[in-house]
Amino acid sequence: MKWRTVGILAALAVAGAGVALWAGRSKPIVVEVVDAGRGTVAETVTNTRAGTVKACQRAKLAPPGGGQIARLPVKKGDHVQAGQVLLELWNDDIRAELAVTERDAAAARAMRDEACVSARVARRESNRLASLVERKLVSAELADRAAGEAEAREAGCRAAAEQTRVSEARIDAARARLEKTQLKAPFAGTVAEINGEIGEFVTPSPVGIPTPPAVDVVDTSCLYITAPIDEVDAPRVREGMPARVTLDAFRDRSFPAHVRRVAPYVLDVEKQARTVEVEAEIDDVGDALLLPGYSADVEVILAERADVLRIPTRALVEGKRVYVLEDGRVRAREVQTGVGNWEYTEITGGLDAGARVILSVDREGLADGVAAVAR
């Protein structure tokens, strides 16, 4: 009886120890995993701050002189052609002056024609008398007088022609003054903004003090994106490199583009990192309606590899190590990497396709050998 009691107590002790060990055993940590697979990886450079969609041609126009708006033949949103009048100041006085100079020019042309006809008649008469002198039918004195008269008339013809040119120059001057009262579209585009109404006065902008334009014309047929990149990345960017453009207005799309310009200087703005301005032009906008002023991001593709083993970049630890899940345990692996970007990194060694790579590298308790389960 005594030995039976001792046996029962021993069995209970062993069972209690087992329960304690089981209860004290650490629970597996929960991790997020992804299978290493093949795909395309590109090495890229991105902008440090949001870029902006800009028009290749945009003109913020204002008349060179002040005056009262007399005609405003366009409105916001109108499509205009190159040379079309957008705004005209009161210019009746200049138009009247132009009419006077045009009439003066017409009179000058008529006087030139009269003088030149008289010069031709006088020259023919001089030639006729000169032939008669040879036959001794008229005196040489009369022929000389006729020759002098012809030369005088020819000089009068030349003077009248010069006066005609002066009158035409006055017309050009009046037309130039008239042009200064008109705003014309420098290129085909869309009227984006108008500041002013008929009857209001406009004044030229004082030196150093910017004022709103009278008319803002934008050519939306050609758009590009300007964005700053860090000075450290700038030496690797060249004109013509492929790029991808993303816009907040089209979050689910990216647009193929290319680098059209790299600024030849560094922007040194106070309290900001030094950057270099890069311009990218979209190759194909598809059916998207892009507007100047949209915010945009530019991703310049420095190198690209297709059909390579890749993993999400956030799975890398210190850029050279990953954690994989094998048979319920975490295993640390040293890997060799190739090209990469913020999304994917190429793996050139140390990992096989299909390996279950752990993404949640910041998970508390994650270490080589610990028990883990996939989420």
Side-chain angles (χ1 to χ4, degrees):
M1 186 68 179
K2 178 180 177 181
W3 292 107
R4 182 181 298 177
T5 303
V6 172
I8 292 173
L9 292 175
L12 291 174
V14 172
V19 171
L21 288 174
W22 182 86
R25 184 180 60 179
S26 59
K27 294 182 179 180
I29 62 174
V30 180
V31 294
E32 183 181 354
V33 299
V34 65
D35 292 341
R38 307 192 70 84
T40 300
V41 180
E43 184 180 3
T44 62
V45 168
T46 58
N47 48 280
T48 57
R49 298 188 306 277
T52 304
V53 177
K54 294 187 176 182
C56 297
Q57 294 187 101
R58 182 170 188 171
K60 298 182 178 182
L61 306 172
Q68 186 180 23
I69 299 176
R71 197 161 68 93
L72 199 59
V74 297
K75 61 182 182 296
K76 291 182 182 180
D78 283 357
H79 184 78
V80 295
Q81 299 298 324
Q84 182 175 337
V85 175
L86 309 175
L87 177 148
E88 187 171 8
L89 303 179
W90 183 85
N91 52 23
D92 289 355
D93 54 342
I94 300 176
R95 290 185 179 277
E97 181 183 349
L98 176 60
V100 170
T101 55
E102 288 175 340
R103 292 179 183 275
D104 284 344
R109 287 191 291 270
M111 293 176 66
R112 177 202 60 193
D113 294 343
E114 179 186 7
C116 292
V117 169
S118 297
R120 288 194 293 271
V121 171
R123 176 55 62 188
R124 286 197 296 269
E125 180 64 16
S126 175
N127 294 337
R128 186 181 68 83
L129 292 177
S131 64
L132 293 176
V133 167
E134 293 177 355
R135 290 182 287 174
K136 298 181 179 181
L137 296 177
V138 297
S139 66
E141 180 182 0
L142 183 61
D144 290 341
R145 189 180 300 115
E149 178 68 18
E151 291 178 359
R153 293 298 179 89
E154 287 172 347
C157 174
R158 291 193 296 272
E162 291 299 325
Q163 186 60 43
T164 300
R165 295 189 182 94
V166 171
S167 299
E168 291 173 347
R170 289 197 180 103
I171 292 176
D172 293 338
R175 286 175 177 168
R177 289 193 293 274
L178 184 64
E179 288 281 340
K180 292 175 67 174
T181 66
Q182 297 175 333
L183 279 186
K184 294 183 178 180
F187 48 80
T190 302
V191 177
E193 185 179 3
I194 298 176
N195 293 298
E197 298 291 343
I198 294 178
E200 294 182 349
F201 281 83
V202 295
T203 57
S205 176
V207 177
I209 302 177
T211 58
V215 181
D216 187 2
V217 180
V218 180
D219 178 11
T220 56
S221 64
C222 174
L223 299 173
Y224 69 97
I225 292 85
T226 175
I229 64 170
D230 195 276
E231 61 176 339
V232 176
D233 299 322
R236 298 188 291 167
V237 179
R238 297 287 185 271
E239 293 182 10
M241 280 186 169
R244 285 190 293 265
V245 172
T246 56
L247 299 96
D248 290 341
F250 303 92
R251 292 184 177 273
D252 57 338
R253 297 180 60 179
S254 64
F255 300 89
H258 65 274
V259 177
R260 56 172 256 170
R261 177 179 177 268
V262 180
Y265 56 87
V266 176
L267 293 174
D268 182 12
V269 181
E270 186 178 358
K271 297 182 180 180
Q272 292 184 6
R274 299 191 180 192
T275 58
V276 175
E277 204 75 19
V278 170
E279 295 178 2
E281 186 172 342
I282 296 177
D283 298 326
D284 183 14
V285 298
D287 58 352
L289 178 60
L290 302 188
L291 299 177
Y294 273 158
S295 62
D297 291 312
V298 177
E299 191 176 10
V300 181
I301 301 173
L302 304 178
E304 191 170 37
R305 297 181 185 275
D307 193 29
V308 296
L309 183 64
R310 67 180 188 178
I311 63 171
T313 301
R314 63 191 179 104
L316 282 172
V317 180
E318 299 177 351
K320 60 181 180 179
R321 189 170 72 254
V322 297
Y323 290 110
V324 297
L325 184 61
E326 293 181 349
D327 300 325
R329 294 287 175 178
V330 175
R331 302 300 179 191
R333 294 281 185 84
E334 295 288 333
V335 295
Q336 292 78 50
T337 60
V339 299
N341 54 41
W342 61 272
E343 188 176 11
Y344 287 104
T345 297
E346 178 190 9
I347 301 299
T348 59
L351 199 67
D352 295 326
R356 305 181 71 192
V357 180
I358 296 176
L359 295 178
S360 47
V361 295
D362 56 348
R363 179 73 165 83
E364 184 179 356
L366 183 68
D368 187 27
V370 302
V373 294
R375 179 178 300 173

